[in-house]
Amino acid sequence: MACYVDSVREYPKAGLRYTRFCHLLADTREELHEMADTLGVPRRYFQDHPWRWHHDLPEPLRPRAVALGAKEVTMHEVGALLKRRRAELGMS
């Protein structure tokens, strides 16, 4: 499974139980949802977009995602992943 987590950011106006989140990304939607399901992440945290799809992951779940194999990535690496997805859709 190729999943990724970026750095944690503060979202004080999220209106949710947690205000600190990172993004859970993957190479495929199937891998993403499988990891999210394993972590118990509600589907309402899924952000659907043609190439920027991801789950918002509450900070307390990030260490478990990493323990389950999610790779920690930089914002530069996230940008490269999203650029590749966009190119695959022919939206360069």
Side-chain angles (χ1 to χ4, degrees), residues 7 10 39 47 51-52 57 60 67 80 83:
S7 57
E10 182 79 31
L39 293 167
Q47 302 291 311
W51 69 88
R52 291 189 314 245
L57 188 66
K83 183 177 180 180

Side-chain angles (χ1 to χ4, degrees), residues 71-87:
K71 180 182 174 188
E72 296 177 281
V73 294
T74 65
M75 289 306 295
H76 179 76
E77 291 169 309
V78 169
L81 172 72
L82 298 180
K83 183 177 180 180
R84 185 176 72 241
R85 282 186 192 167
R86 187 173 177 165

Side-chain angles (χ1 to χ4, degrees), residues 7-79:
S7 57
V8 174
R9 287 181 213 68
E10 182 79 31
Y11 296 92
K13 298 180 183 180
L16 300 169
R17 177 179 174 194
Y18 298 101
T19 59
R20 294 178 53 82
F21 292 87
C22 67
H23 297 111
L24 176 64
L25 306 108
D27 290 334
T28 68
R29 288 174 184 255
E30 293 77 22
E31 291 169 325
L32 176 67
H33 290 312
E34 183 178 334
M35 176 65 87
D37 290 346
T38 300
L39 293 167
V41 176
R43 288 285 169 112
R44 70 179 177 269
Y45 290 162
F46 178 62
Q47 302 291 311
D48 197 6
H49 184 275
W51 69 88
R52 291 189 314 245
W53 43 268
H54 66 278
H55 274 282
D56 289 337
L57 188 66
E59 181 180 33
L61 294 179
R62 190 178 188 280
R64 184 156 177 244
V66 172
L68 289 169
K71 180 182 174 188
E72 296 177 281
V73 294
T74 65
M75 289 306 295
H76 179 76
E77 291 169 309
V78 169

